[in-house]
Each structure stands twice: as C-alpha cells, then as structure tokens.
Amino acid sequence: MEILDDAIDNMGLSNKKVSKLLLVLFIVIPLVFITTTSMCKISNNFLPFEGFQKVLLEGRYQNDNDNNNNHSMELEGRGIVQNMTHENSGGGEEEKNNTIEVSQGKVQNNCTASQGTVTDGGPKNNTQKLSTNDSKNSTTHDKFLDGLLPSGFDESTCLSRYQSHLYRKPSNHKPSPYLISKLRNYEEFHKRCGPNSRAYKIAMQKITTPSSKTHHHYHHHNDNVDAAKCKYLVWTPVNGLGNRMISIAAAFLFAVLTDRVLLVRFEADMHGLFCEPFHGSTWILPMNSPFWNHENVETYQSIVLAKVDKARNLTLDQLLLPSVLFINLQHTKEDPEMFFHCDHNQEALKKVNVLIVQSDQYFVPSLFMTPSFSHDMNKMFPEKDAVFHHVGRYLFHPSNEAWGQISKFYDTYLAKADERIGLQIRVFRPTFTPQQAVMDLLLSCATSNKILPEVDTQNPAGTTASKVGRNNHTLKAVVVASLYPEYGENLRSMYLKGPTITGEVIRVYQPSHEEKQKFKDNVHNIKALVDMYLLSLCDVLVTSSLSTFGYVAQGFGGLKPWLLYGLVSNETHFPPCLRDLSPEPCYHFPPQHQCNGNSKEHFAASFPHMFECKDYYRGVKLGDGVVH
C-alpha cells in the first residue's frame, strides 16, 4: 500500500480522484464486454478475433482460391484427392472466397473459443452449412446415433466417431432397444475376453496346449471362469475393401449371436483405415497369435463333405470337433453346400473354441434363415432394410487420416450444394466394354430419372432463354467414384458446353482415379474408403450392379440406389437402370439346399423380408415392403 500511495502522490492524484476513476472503470468495462458479446450473438459474421483465426487456419488448411483454373486439390501434401472438376459458371465467386472454418479447434462459431487444438475434419461453422444442409445442426442431432454408439471414447483419437452425424441428414432408421442392449453387452464381453486381457491369455494357453496344466494354479479362480467363457471368431481377409467390409459386418453379427469375440486379421494394407470400434480393448488379432496362419487348421468343409456324407450318416453335432476350425464362406467355383444355415451344424460349432472365418459375402440373410438365430435377428432388426446401415455405422469409423480427407473434401466442394449426387461406376470387363457405352448408359439413367438435367444445346449461354433458365440457382454437386478419370472428365466437359435446360448449375468432382484395383496397397484402400464415404453422404446415389463398393456406400447412407444395368460388351439396354428395393447389400451366393438336403431353387420365397436381388438373379437381399 505504501508503494501505491507514493505512486499516487507522484501523479498528483488525490484519494477522491482515484476513487472516482476506479468507479468509472468498474462501470465502463462490463458494458464494453456485454456489448461485444451481444454483437457476436447477433451476427456470426462479426469476427473480433479474425486475424487470430486466420493465423490458426493458415497452418492447417489450404484454401482453394483459384477454383476456376485449378481442378485438383492436395490433401496434407499427399495428393490423395485428384481431378477436382467443377463448373466455372454460377456460384464460382462464392466458392472462391470461401474460407474453411474449424469449430473443434481454438475458434468456434467465430466468437466463442473451445478447448482442444485445430484438427482436420472438425465440424464447420453453422452459418456456412445450415442454409443448404440442415444435418449440420448439432443441437437436434445425436452424436451417439440414437444410442447406437457408446460413450466413453477419447474423441480426439477418432474424430469421425462423433462428428460423422454432422455431415449427413438424420437417419430414418432408428436402432432398436434390443440391438442397443446387445451391443452394450457385447462391448463388455469383448473387453473381458479381448486381447491384452488376462482371460484372453489364459484362453489362448488352454486352446493351444489343451493337455497342459502348467501354471493353471497361478490363475485366480475368476480368471479361469472368464477364460472358459471366452470363445473367438477370427475374420480373415479376401478380395477388395467392399467385400471385406460387408463380410466383417456379417461376421460381427455371427459373433454376437454365438457369444464370440470378433478379432480381425488386418494386414498392412488395412492399417490406418478404421478406428477401434470397441471401448477399452482392440479388435485386431495380435501378430503373435497362433491363429494368424490357418494353413494347418482343419476345415469345416472337409468335415461336412467327408465325415457327414461318408461316416455312417453321422450329423456334424455327433462328431468330435477340434478346438480350432477354419470356415471358408467365400464363393468358390465348386460352390459346395455348407449347410451353414442349419441348426444342427450351428449347435455343433458351439463346441469349437476358435472359428477362423474367411468370406467375401454378406451372409447376413443366412442368419435370418437359421432357426436358432432368427428370433434374435428379428428383435435386433425390426427394419430389415437397415441391418448394414446400423452395423456399418457402428463398426466402421474412418481413421483421423481418412476422416481428414473426407471432411475437407466435403467442406470444400459439397457443403454449399443444394443437392449432392453420387455416381459409382464399376466396369468389370473394361477390355470388352467401351467407355462411351458406359457413359451413354449412365447419362440415360441420370437424365431419364431426373437425377441430372440435360444440357440446353438450343440456347447457348447469353440468350434470352438461357437467362430465364439461370433464374433457377439450384446447385447440384456430383461425386464420381471410378477407377477411370475419363468418366468425371467427360461429365464435367458436357456441363461446361452450355447451360442446363432446367437452369440448374452442375459441378462435377472425382476424388480419385486409380486406373485399376490394387491389392495389398494401404494408400489405395484409404482412397477407396474416402470415395465410399463421400458417396454415402450424397442425397441420390447411382451405383453399378454387383459392386460391393456401391453396397457399402448405400448401406452407410441408408440410400436406395439406382442400379445401372451391368454391361459386358458394346451394347445398349433399356431401361438403363432400376431403383433398388433397399439399402441392404446383396448376398450373391445364398444356400441352395434345405437342411434336410433337398435342393431349394430360391430361399427368398420362404421368408417375408427376403427378395431376389435386382442386380443378380441368384442373390437374395433383405428389405421391407413390396417389391415393384
């Protein structure tokens, strides 16, 4: 206080003057703070910290300030997203001056700060998105997807888990309470028996050395009880990413139904794609697991084909089965009947501690066919057309690396569109199928079904008719997913020739073009996942027949796609496409026999919610309602 008094005396201020000054400051400072806060609430365009925000963003994002001339975007310096094609007419300046904003970082809603660091893929400022996409309204959308997702995760380790709902419209399909209960119970079971748990180590020791009693007396009684209850389903990869994802979803449901822990054998090409789906544990099969290689493991097929048929008509449940069994559920040329959908075989498989499953099929319909599973399946999924929609969104959360690419692409190119259209083009025999034939088929489908408008060739830009048409300011963003760049380039060139007959502005983007499908390639798989996810964020989807890539996209988005006719040569087809009956993937090769051995031409007729696939006559798929 003596120092303060001396300072006051030196300034020539009396105590009364000091008191008045303090009183004025006490009144003025709160008024200034209240006024500033009110201005922020009134207008999101008021940026008191704009300079600070720009400094934050410059180090993380590259704003595309030359969209009309540069049709490519580099993501984090890797060039993952290529061939960004779009119109240079209508709305160009708006996109050109757009600044990508981050609300998960230091600056949120332009006026309020939140904890954390600036990260790729955060939900963006609401003023940018809500005008065209109400899915960005986080106050009305549940980041836990109506209870489908559990809480408790460190959100920074997997941004997509709790941010993905901000990038899509609310789902019309709600998970059933029974499904939610089954998932929570499974999560606890996985944590108790999963890798790194004591029960897992004991169970593995017992399975690999069943006759050995060494060290068993060192384990607590409860550990042994848990280990005795721990059984496992090991999923092994085959074919491309789409096949893998739909078969993992089916394997997971099979694990839930049979009280097994799902472990996935992810090799290097699958690393960095997905977050861990189960809290407090991992679903990755440890590299030192004895079940990483199944070459010397007895097969389910050998038992079914040899022992059941030739050993005095014994059924599988009467045989002494090994503790580890390999089941190949992928389609083969021989395609023998495995009777996997039969109760007597499923009852026998309960005795097996470890099932190693390899499949490229979405065998979920066979789980509905199995009498002992059908009750639980029907309770979990009262809406039969939303099985993969729920399971896929529960299991497959893109990693931060993949999510950064997905969210940045969406925010830069798709967020302002009034409608987003996904076109997935898969050509199975490119040598015999000319690109022009595929392009003609695609355009015929899109224009005849009013998905895309035709170009107005009679009224070039600048004429009276064209000006009238341009009063329609609807912006449609088109995402093209294909191995070949020509489809995106040709579509973009077509819409650059002139205005559309509806006046709609069409912009075309193709995130990647790998030229050919690559296996054992991690970067290729990340690009594929980005493409699938972007397609799932669209409002309308056109996909290729028989493509599991398209199945994943439509399942994620809960979309009924338009299925392109599968061309195999230079031909035309009418109609060029058909509307699919549900978002569910097609089970291409379902059982062909009843459990008594009698042949069954098509199981779809025997189940009320099972139908013949529109893109493959042998396949079955789940759906609700009447097939048209």
Short mmCIF file of all heavy atoms in Angstrom, two decimals, residues 357-409:
data_model
loop_
_atom_site.label_atom_id
_atom_site.label_comp_id
_atom_site.label_asym_id
_atom_site.label_seq_id
_atom_site.Cartn_x
_atom_site.Cartn_y
_atom_site.Cartn_z
N VAL A 357 -12.89 -67.58 -39.87
CA VAL A 357 -13.84 -67.42 -40.98
C VAL A 357 -13.23 -66.57 -42.08
O VAL A 357 -12.69 -65.48 -41.82
CB VAL A 357 -15.16 -66.78 -40.49
CG1 VAL A 357 -16.09 -66.50 -41.67
CG2 VAL A 357 -15.85 -67.69 -39.48
N GLN A 358 -13.34 -67.07 -43.29
CA GLN A 358 -12.94 -66.29 -44.46
C GLN A 358 -14.14 -66.17 -45.38
O GLN A 358 -14.76 -67.18 -45.74
CB GLN A 358 -11.78 -66.97 -45.19
CG GLN A 358 -11.21 -66.14 -46.34
CD GLN A 358 -9.97 -66.78 -46.93
OE1 GLN A 358 -10.03 -67.87 -47.49
NE2 GLN A 358 -8.83 -66.12 -46.79
N SER A 359 -14.48 -64.94 -45.72
CA SER A 359 -15.65 -64.74 -46.57
C SER A 359 -15.54 -63.43 -47.32
O SER A 359 -14.96 -62.46 -46.82
CB SER A 359 -16.92 -64.74 -45.70
OG SER A 359 -18.06 -64.46 -46.50
N ASP A 360 -16.10 -63.41 -48.52
CA ASP A 360 -16.25 -62.17 -49.27
C ASP A 360 -17.72 -61.85 -49.48
O ASP A 360 -18.08 -61.02 -50.30
CB ASP A 360 -15.54 -62.26 -50.63
CG ASP A 360 -16.01 -63.45 -51.45
OD1 ASP A 360 -16.90 -64.20 -50.99
OD2 ASP A 360 -15.49 -63.63 -52.57
N GLN A 361 -18.59 -62.53 -48.70
CA GLN A 361 -20.03 -62.44 -48.89
C GLN A 361 -20.72 -61.75 -47.71
O GLN A 361 -20.25 -61.83 -46.56
CB GLN A 361 -20.63 -63.83 -49.06
CG GLN A 361 -20.18 -64.55 -50.31
CD GLN A 361 -20.74 -63.91 -51.57
OE1 GLN A 361 -21.94 -63.78 -51.74
NE2 GLN A 361 -19.84 -63.52 -52.46
N TYR A 362 -21.84 -61.11 -48.00
CA TYR A 362 -22.70 -60.55 -46.96
C TYR A 362 -23.71 -61.63 -46.60
O TYR A 362 -24.82 -61.66 -47.10
CB TYR A 362 -23.40 -59.29 -47.50
CG TYR A 362 -24.28 -58.58 -46.50
CD1 TYR A 362 -23.73 -57.90 -45.41
CD2 TYR A 362 -25.66 -58.55 -46.66
CE1 TYR A 362 -24.53 -57.22 -44.52
CE2 TYR A 362 -26.47 -57.88 -45.76
CZ TYR A 362 -25.90 -57.21 -44.69
OH TYR A 362 -26.71 -56.55 -43.80
N PHE A 363 -23.29 -62.54 -45.70
CA PHE A 363 -24.11 -63.72 -45.40
C PHE A 363 -25.15 -63.47 -44.30
O PHE A 363 -25.66 -64.41 -43.69
CB PHE A 363 -23.23 -64.92 -45.07
CG PHE A 363 -22.28 -64.74 -43.91
CD1 PHE A 363 -22.68 -65.03 -42.61
CD2 PHE A 363 -20.99 -64.32 -44.12
CE1 PHE A 363 -21.81 -64.88 -41.55
CE2 PHE A 363 -20.10 -64.17 -43.07
CZ PHE A 363 -20.51 -64.45 -41.77
N VAL A 364 -25.49 -62.21 -44.05
CA VAL A 364 -26.49 -61.87 -43.04
C VAL A 364 -27.84 -62.55 -43.31
O VAL A 364 -28.48 -63.04 -42.37
CB VAL A 364 -26.64 -60.34 -42.92
CG1 VAL A 364 -27.86 -59.97 -42.07
CG2 VAL A 364 -25.38 -59.74 -42.31
N PRO A 365 -28.33 -62.61 -44.57
CA PRO A 365 -29.60 -63.31 -44.78
C PRO A 365 -29.60 -64.74 -44.27
O PRO A 365 -30.63 -65.24 -43.82
CB PRO A 365 -29.77 -63.24 -46.31
CG PRO A 365 -29.10 -61.98 -46.70
CD PRO A 365 -27.89 -61.92 -45.81
N SER A 366 -28.46 -65.43 -44.33
CA SER A 366 -28.42 -66.80 -43.82
C SER A 366 -28.61 -66.85 -42.32
O SER A 366 -29.05 -67.87 -41.77
CB SER A 366 -27.11 -67.48 -44.22
OG SER A 366 -26.02 -66.95 -43.50
N LEU A 367 -28.28 -65.77 -41.61
CA LEU A 367 -28.51 -65.72 -40.16
C LEU A 367 -30.00 -65.63 -39.86
O LEU A 367 -30.47 -66.16 -38.85
CB LEU A 367 -27.76 -64.53 -39.55
CG LEU A 367 -26.24 -64.50 -39.77
CD1 LEU A 367 -25.62 -63.27 -39.14
CD2 LEU A 367 -25.58 -65.77 -39.24
N PHE A 368 -30.75 -64.95 -40.74
CA PHE A 368 -32.20 -64.94 -40.61
C PHE A 368 -32.80 -66.30 -40.96
O PHE A 368 -33.84 -66.68 -40.44
CB PHE A 368 -32.82 -63.87 -41.51
CG PHE A 368 -32.75 -62.47 -40.96
CD1 PHE A 368 -31.71 -61.62 -41.31
CD2 PHE A 368 -33.72 -62.00 -40.09
CE1 PHE A 368 -31.65 -60.33 -40.81
CE2 PHE A 368 -33.65 -60.72 -39.57
CZ PHE A 368 -32.62 -59.87 -39.93
N MET A 369 -32.13 -67.03 -41.85
CA MET A 369 -32.61 -68.36 -42.24
C MET A 369 -32.44 -69.38 -41.12
O MET A 369 -33.19 -70.35 -41.04
CB MET A 369 -31.86 -68.85 -43.47
CG MET A 369 -32.05 -68.04 -44.72
SD MET A 369 -30.99 -68.70 -46.05
CE MET A 369 -31.18 -67.44 -47.30
N THR A 370 -31.44 -69.19 -40.25
CA THR A 370 -31.12 -70.15 -39.21
C THR A 370 -32.14 -70.04 -38.08
O THR A 370 -32.23 -69.00 -37.43
CB THR A 370 -29.70 -69.90 -38.67
OG1 THR A 370 -28.79 -69.83 -39.76
CG2 THR A 370 -29.29 -71.00 -37.71
N PRO A 371 -32.91 -71.09 -37.82
CA PRO A 371 -33.98 -71.01 -36.81
C PRO A 371 -33.51 -70.53 -35.44
O PRO A 371 -34.17 -69.72 -34.79
CB PRO A 371 -34.52 -72.44 -36.75
CG PRO A 371 -34.24 -72.99 -38.11
CD PRO A 371 -32.92 -72.40 -38.50
N SER A 372 -32.36 -71.00 -34.98
CA SER A 372 -31.88 -70.62 -33.65
C SER A 372 -31.43 -69.17 -33.57
O SER A 372 -31.29 -68.61 -32.48
CB SER A 372 -30.75 -71.55 -33.21
OG SER A 372 -29.67 -71.49 -34.13
N PHE A 373 -31.18 -68.54 -34.72
CA PHE A 373 -30.76 -67.14 -34.75
C PHE A 373 -31.91 -66.20 -35.09
O PHE A 373 -31.84 -65.00 -34.80
CB PHE A 373 -29.64 -66.93 -35.79
CG PHE A 373 -28.39 -67.68 -35.53
CD1 PHE A 373 -27.52 -67.99 -36.57
CD2 PHE A 373 -28.04 -68.07 -34.24
CE1 PHE A 373 -26.34 -68.68 -36.33
CE2 PHE A 373 -26.87 -68.76 -34.00
CZ PHE A 373 -26.01 -69.07 -35.04
N SER A 374 -32.92 -66.67 -35.74
CA SER A 374 -33.93 -65.79 -36.34
C SER A 374 -34.65 -64.94 -35.30
O SER A 374 -34.98 -63.77 -35.57
CB SER A 374 -34.94 -66.60 -37.15
OG SER A 374 -35.62 -67.53 -36.33
N HIS A 375 -34.90 -65.49 -34.11
CA HIS A 375 -35.61 -64.71 -33.09
C HIS A 375 -34.81 -63.47 -32.70
O HIS A 375 -35.34 -62.35 -32.68
CB HIS A 375 -35.87 -65.58 -31.85
CG HIS A 375 -36.52 -64.84 -30.73
ND1 HIS A 375 -37.85 -64.44 -30.77
CD2 HIS A 375 -36.03 -64.40 -29.52
CE1 HIS A 375 -38.15 -63.80 -29.65
NE2 HIS A 375 -37.07 -63.75 -28.89
N ASP A 376 -33.53 -63.68 -32.38
CA ASP A 376 -32.68 -62.55 -32.01
C ASP A 376 -32.51 -61.57 -33.17
O ASP A 376 -32.51 -60.35 -32.96
CB ASP A 376 -31.31 -63.05 -31.56
CG ASP A 376 -31.23 -63.25 -30.05
OD1 ASP A 376 -32.26 -63.03 -29.37
OD2 ASP A 376 -30.16 -63.63 -29.54
N MET A 377 -32.32 -62.09 -34.37
CA MET A 377 -32.14 -61.22 -35.52
C MET A 377 -33.36 -60.34 -35.76
O MET A 377 -33.25 -59.15 -36.05
CB MET A 377 -31.83 -62.05 -36.77
CG MET A 377 -30.45 -62.68 -36.77
SD MET A 377 -29.10 -61.47 -36.82
CE MET A 377 -29.27 -60.83 -38.49
N ASN A 378 -34.54 -60.92 -35.62
CA ASN A 378 -35.77 -60.15 -35.82
C ASN A 378 -35.98 -59.11 -34.73
O ASN A 378 -36.50 -58.01 -34.99
CB ASN A 378 -36.97 -61.08 -35.90
CG ASN A 378 -37.09 -61.76 -37.25
OD1 ASN A 378 -37.22 -61.13 -38.29
ND2 ASN A 378 -37.03 -63.09 -37.25
N LYS A 379 -35.58 -59.42 -33.50
CA LYS A 379 -35.70 -58.44 -32.42
C LYS A 379 -34.68 -57.32 -32.57
O LYS A 379 -34.99 -56.16 -32.31
CB LYS A 379 -35.52 -59.13 -31.07
CG LYS A 379 -36.72 -59.95 -30.61
CD LYS A 379 -36.54 -60.45 -29.19
CE LYS A 379 -36.56 -59.30 -28.18
NZ LYS A 379 -36.46 -59.79 -26.79
N MET A 380 -33.48 -57.67 -33.00
CA MET A 380 -32.46 -56.64 -33.19
C MET A 380 -32.79 -55.73 -34.36
O MET A 380 -32.54 -54.52 -34.32
CB MET A 380 -31.09 -57.28 -33.40
CG MET A 380 -30.44 -57.82 -32.15
SD MET A 380 -28.69 -58.23 -32.38
CE MET A 380 -28.80 -59.71 -33.40
N PHE A 381 -33.37 -56.31 -35.41
CA PHE A 381 -33.59 -55.56 -36.65
C PHE A 381 -35.04 -55.69 -37.11
O PHE A 381 -35.34 -56.43 -38.05
CB PHE A 381 -32.64 -56.05 -37.74
CG PHE A 381 -31.19 -55.97 -37.36
CD1 PHE A 381 -30.49 -57.12 -37.01
CD2 PHE A 381 -30.54 -54.76 -37.33
CE1 PHE A 381 -29.16 -57.06 -36.64
CE2 PHE A 381 -29.20 -54.68 -36.96
CZ PHE A 381 -28.50 -55.83 -36.62
N PRO A 382 -35.94 -54.97 -36.45
CA PRO A 382 -37.33 -54.98 -36.92
C PRO A 382 -37.46 -54.38 -38.31
O PRO A 382 -38.36 -54.73 -39.07
CB PRO A 382 -38.07 -54.14 -35.87
CG PRO A 382 -37.01 -53.34 -35.18
CD PRO A 382 -35.78 -54.16 -35.23
N GLU A 383 -36.54 -53.46 -38.66
CA GLU A 383 -36.47 -52.91 -40.02
C GLU A 383 -35.41 -53.71 -40.78
O GLU A 383 -34.21 -53.53 -40.57
CB GLU A 383 -36.11 -51.43 -40.01
CG GLU A 383 -37.14 -50.53 -39.37
CD GLU A 383 -36.70 -49.09 -39.38
OE1 GLU A 383 -35.67 -48.78 -38.75
OE2 GLU A 383 -37.37 -48.25 -40.01
N LYS A 384 -35.87 -54.57 -41.65
CA LYS A 384 -34.95 -55.49 -42.32
C LYS A 384 -34.07 -54.80 -43.35
O LYS A 384 -33.07 -55.37 -43.79
CB LYS A 384 -35.74 -56.62 -42.99
CG LYS A 384 -36.64 -57.40 -42.03
CD LYS A 384 -35.86 -58.01 -40.89
CE LYS A 384 -36.74 -58.84 -39.97
NZ LYS A 384 -37.69 -58.03 -39.20
N ASP A 385 -34.44 -53.61 -43.77
CA ASP A 385 -33.64 -52.91 -44.78
C ASP A 385 -32.58 -52.00 -44.15
O ASP A 385 -31.98 -51.18 -44.85
CB ASP A 385 -34.54 -52.09 -45.71
CG ASP A 385 -35.38 -51.05 -44.97
OD1 ASP A 385 -35.43 -51.11 -43.72
OD2 ASP A 385 -36.00 -50.21 -45.64
N ALA A 386 -32.34 -52.15 -42.84
CA ALA A 386 -31.39 -51.26 -42.17
C ALA A 386 -30.34 -52.03 -41.37
O ALA A 386 -29.71 -51.47 -40.48
CB ALA A 386 -32.13 -50.29 -41.27
N VAL A 387 -30.13 -53.30 -41.68
CA VAL A 387 -29.16 -54.09 -40.91
C VAL A 387 -27.74 -53.55 -41.11
O VAL A 387 -27.05 -53.20 -40.15
CB VAL A 387 -29.23 -55.58 -41.31
CG1 VAL A 387 -28.19 -56.39 -40.52
CG2 VAL A 387 -30.63 -56.15 -41.06
N PHE A 388 -27.30 -53.47 -42.36
CA PHE A 388 -25.94 -52.95 -42.59
C PHE A 388 -25.86 -51.47 -42.24
O PHE A 388 -24.81 -51.00 -41.80
CB PHE A 388 -25.52 -53.16 -44.04
CG PHE A 388 -24.09 -52.76 -44.29
CD1 PHE A 388 -23.06 -53.64 -44.00
CD2 PHE A 388 -23.76 -51.51 -44.79
CE1 PHE A 388 -21.73 -53.28 -44.20
CE2 PHE A 388 -22.45 -51.14 -44.99
CZ PHE A 388 -21.42 -52.03 -44.69
N HIS A 389 -26.93 -50.75 -42.40
CA HIS A 389 -26.94 -49.33 -42.05
C HIS A 389 -26.55 -49.15 -40.58
O HIS A 389 -25.74 -48.26 -40.25
CB HIS A 389 -28.34 -48.77 -42.30
CG HIS A 389 -28.48 -47.30 -42.01
ND1 HIS A 389 -27.73 -46.34 -42.65
CD2 HIS A 389 -29.30 -46.63 -41.15
CE1 HIS A 389 -28.07 -45.15 -42.21
NE2 HIS A 389 -29.02 -45.30 -41.29
N HIS A 390 -27.08 -49.97 -39.70
CA HIS A 390 -26.75 -49.87 -38.29
C HIS A 390 -25.38 -50.48 -37.98
O HIS A 390 -24.55 -49.84 -37.33
CB HIS A 390 -27.82 -50.56 -37.44
CG HIS A 390 -29.16 -49.89 -37.48
ND1 HIS A 390 -29.31 -48.53 -37.36
CD2 HIS A 390 -30.41 -50.41 -37.61
CE1 HIS A 390 -30.60 -48.23 -37.42
NE2 HIS A 390 -31.29 -49.34 -37.58
N VAL A 391 -25.14 -51.69 -38.46
CA VAL A 391 -23.89 -52.38 -38.13
C VAL A 391 -22.70 -51.66 -38.76
O VAL A 391 -21.64 -51.51 -38.13
CB VAL A 391 -23.95 -53.85 -38.60
CG1 VAL A 391 -22.61 -54.54 -38.33
CG2 VAL A 391 -25.07 -54.59 -37.89
N GLY A 392 -22.85 -51.18 -40.00
CA GLY A 392 -21.76 -50.48 -40.66
C GLY A 392 -21.39 -49.19 -39.95
O GLY A 392 -20.20 -48.89 -39.76
N ARG A 393 -22.40 -48.42 -39.53
CA ARG A 393 -22.11 -47.16 -38.83
C ARG A 393 -21.57 -47.42 -37.43
O ARG A 393 -20.88 -46.56 -36.87
CB ARG A 393 -23.37 -46.30 -38.75
CG ARG A 393 -23.85 -45.76 -40.10
CD ARG A 393 -25.07 -44.86 -39.94
NE ARG A 393 -26.13 -45.58 -39.25
CZ ARG A 393 -27.04 -44.98 -38.48
NH1 ARG A 393 -27.00 -43.68 -38.30
NH2 ARG A 393 -27.98 -45.70 -37.88
N TYR A 394 -21.86 -48.56 -36.87
CA TYR A 394 -21.35 -48.92 -35.54
C TYR A 394 -19.88 -49.36 -35.62
O TYR A 394 -19.07 -48.97 -34.77
CB TYR A 394 -22.20 -50.05 -34.96
CG TYR A 394 -21.68 -50.61 -33.66
CD1 TYR A 394 -21.87 -49.92 -32.47
CD2 TYR A 394 -20.99 -51.83 -33.63
CE1 TYR A 394 -21.37 -50.44 -31.27
CE2 TYR A 394 -20.51 -52.34 -32.45
CZ TYR A 394 -20.69 -51.65 -31.27
OH TYR A 394 -20.21 -52.16 -30.09
N LEU A 395 -19.53 -50.13 -36.63
CA LEU A 395 -18.19 -50.73 -36.69
C LEU A 395 -17.15 -49.86 -37.38
O LEU A 395 -16.00 -49.79 -36.94
CB LEU A 395 -18.26 -52.07 -37.43
CG LEU A 395 -18.89 -53.26 -36.73
CD1 LEU A 395 -18.90 -54.46 -37.68
CD2 LEU A 395 -18.14 -53.61 -35.45
N PHE A 396 -17.52 -49.22 -38.50
CA PHE A 396 -16.53 -48.66 -39.41
C PHE A 396 -16.45 -47.14 -39.28
O PHE A 396 -17.16 -46.40 -39.97
CB PHE A 396 -16.85 -49.05 -40.85
CG PHE A 396 -16.92 -50.52 -41.08
CD1 PHE A 396 -18.11 -51.13 -41.46
CD2 PHE A 396 -15.81 -51.33 -40.88
CE1 PHE A 396 -18.19 -52.49 -41.66
CE2 PHE A 396 -15.88 -52.70 -41.08
CZ PHE A 396 -17.07 -53.28 -41.47
N HIS A 397 -15.57 -46.68 -38.41
CA HIS A 397 -15.32 -45.25 -38.25
C HIS A 397 -13.99 -44.92 -38.91
O HIS A 397 -12.94 -45.43 -38.49
CB HIS A 397 -15.28 -44.88 -36.77
CG HIS A 397 -16.49 -45.30 -36.00
ND1 HIS A 397 -17.70 -44.66 -36.14
CD2 HIS A 397 -16.70 -46.32 -35.12
CE1 HIS A 397 -18.60 -45.26 -35.37
NE2 HIS A 397 -18.02 -46.26 -34.75
N PRO A 398 -13.99 -44.10 -39.96
CA PRO A 398 -12.74 -43.78 -40.63
C PRO A 398 -11.71 -43.21 -39.66
O PRO A 398 -12.04 -42.43 -38.76
CB PRO A 398 -13.15 -42.73 -41.68
CG PRO A 398 -14.61 -43.02 -41.93
CD PRO A 398 -15.16 -43.46 -40.61
N SER A 399 -10.47 -43.60 -39.85
CA SER A 399 -9.38 -43.09 -39.02
C SER A 399 -9.25 -41.59 -39.20
O SER A 399 -9.82 -41.00 -40.13
CB SER A 399 -8.07 -43.77 -39.42
OG SER A 399 -7.71 -43.38 -40.75
N ASN A 400 -8.50 -40.95 -38.33
CA ASN A 400 -8.31 -39.49 -38.44
C ASN A 400 -7.69 -39.11 -39.78
O ASN A 400 -8.01 -38.06 -40.35
CB ASN A 400 -7.44 -38.99 -37.30
CG ASN A 400 -8.22 -38.88 -35.99
OD1 ASN A 400 -9.43 -39.15 -35.95
ND2 ASN A 400 -7.54 -38.49 -34.92
N GLU A 401 -6.80 -39.94 -40.29
CA GLU A 401 -6.20 -39.65 -41.60
C GLU A 401 -7.26 -39.67 -42.70
O GLU A 401 -7.35 -38.75 -43.51
CB GLU A 401 -5.10 -40.67 -41.92
CG GLU A 401 -4.46 -40.44 -43.29
CD GLU A 401 -3.40 -41.48 -43.63
OE1 GLU A 401 -3.18 -42.40 -42.82
OE2 GLU A 401 -2.81 -41.38 -44.73
N ALA A 402 -8.08 -40.72 -42.72
CA ALA A 402 -9.13 -40.82 -43.73
C ALA A 402 -10.19 -39.76 -43.51
O ALA A 402 -10.69 -39.15 -44.47
CB ALA A 402 -9.75 -42.21 -43.71
N TRP A 403 -10.55 -39.52 -42.26
CA TRP A 403 -11.61 -38.54 -41.97
C TRP A 403 -11.18 -37.12 -42.34
O TRP A 403 -11.99 -36.31 -42.79
CB TRP A 403 -12.00 -38.60 -40.49
CG TRP A 403 -13.12 -37.69 -40.14
CD1 TRP A 403 -13.09 -36.60 -39.33
CD2 TRP A 403 -14.49 -37.77 -40.62
NE1 TRP A 403 -14.32 -35.99 -39.27
CE2 TRP A 403 -15.19 -36.70 -40.04
CE3 TRP A 403 -15.15 -38.64 -41.48
CZ2 TRP A 403 -16.55 -36.48 -40.30
CZ3 TRP A 403 -16.50 -38.42 -41.73
CH2 TRP A 403 -17.17 -37.36 -41.15
N GLY A 404 -9.90 -36.82 -42.17
CA GLY A 404 -9.41 -35.51 -42.58
C GLY A 404 -9.64 -35.27 -44.07
O GLY A 404 -10.03 -34.18 -44.48
N GLN A 405 -9.43 -36.30 -44.87
CA GLN A 405 -9.64 -36.18 -46.32
C GLN A 405 -11.13 -36.09 -46.65
O GLN A 405 -11.54 -35.30 -47.50
CB GLN A 405 -9.00 -37.37 -47.03
CG GLN A 405 -7.49 -37.45 -46.85
CD GLN A 405 -6.91 -38.73 -47.39
OE1 GLN A 405 -7.45 -39.33 -48.31
NE2 GLN A 405 -5.80 -39.17 -46.82
N ILE A 406 -11.93 -36.91 -45.99
CA ILE A 406 -13.38 -36.91 -46.25
C ILE A 406 -13.99 -35.57 -45.89
O ILE A 406 -14.71 -34.96 -46.70
CB ILE A 406 -14.06 -38.04 -45.44
CG1 ILE A 406 -13.62 -39.41 -45.94
CG2 ILE A 406 -15.58 -37.91 -45.51
CD1 ILE A 406 -13.95 -40.55 -44.99
N SER A 407 -13.72 -35.10 -44.69
CA SER A 407 -14.36 -33.87 -44.22
C SER A 407 -13.87 -32.65 -44.99
O SER A 407 -14.65 -31.74 -45.28
CB SER A 407 -14.13 -33.69 -42.72
OG SER A 407 -12.75 -33.67 -42.42
N LYS A 408 -12.60 -32.63 -45.33
CA LYS A 408 -12.09 -31.47 -46.07
C LYS A 408 -12.68 -31.43 -47.48
O LYS A 408 -13.06 -30.37 -47.98
CB LYS A 408 -10.57 -31.51 -46.16
CG LYS A 408 -10.00 -30.24 -46.81
CD LYS A 408 -8.49 -30.19 -46.73
CE LYS A 408 -7.97 -28.88 -47.32
NZ LYS A 408 -6.49 -28.80 -47.26
N PHE A 409 -12.78 -32.58 -48.12
CA PHE A 409 -13.39 -32.64 -49.45
C PHE A 409 -14.84 -32.16 -49.38
O PHE A 409 -15.29 -31.35 -50.19
CB PHE A 409 -13.32 -34.06 -49.99
CG PHE A 409 -13.82 -34.22 -51.40
CD1 PHE A 409 -12.93 -34.27 -52.45
CD2 PHE A 409 -15.18 -34.29 -51.68
CE1 PHE A 409 -13.39 -34.40 -53.77
CE2 PHE A 409 -15.66 -34.42 -52.97
CZ PHE A 409 -14.75 -34.47 -54.02
#
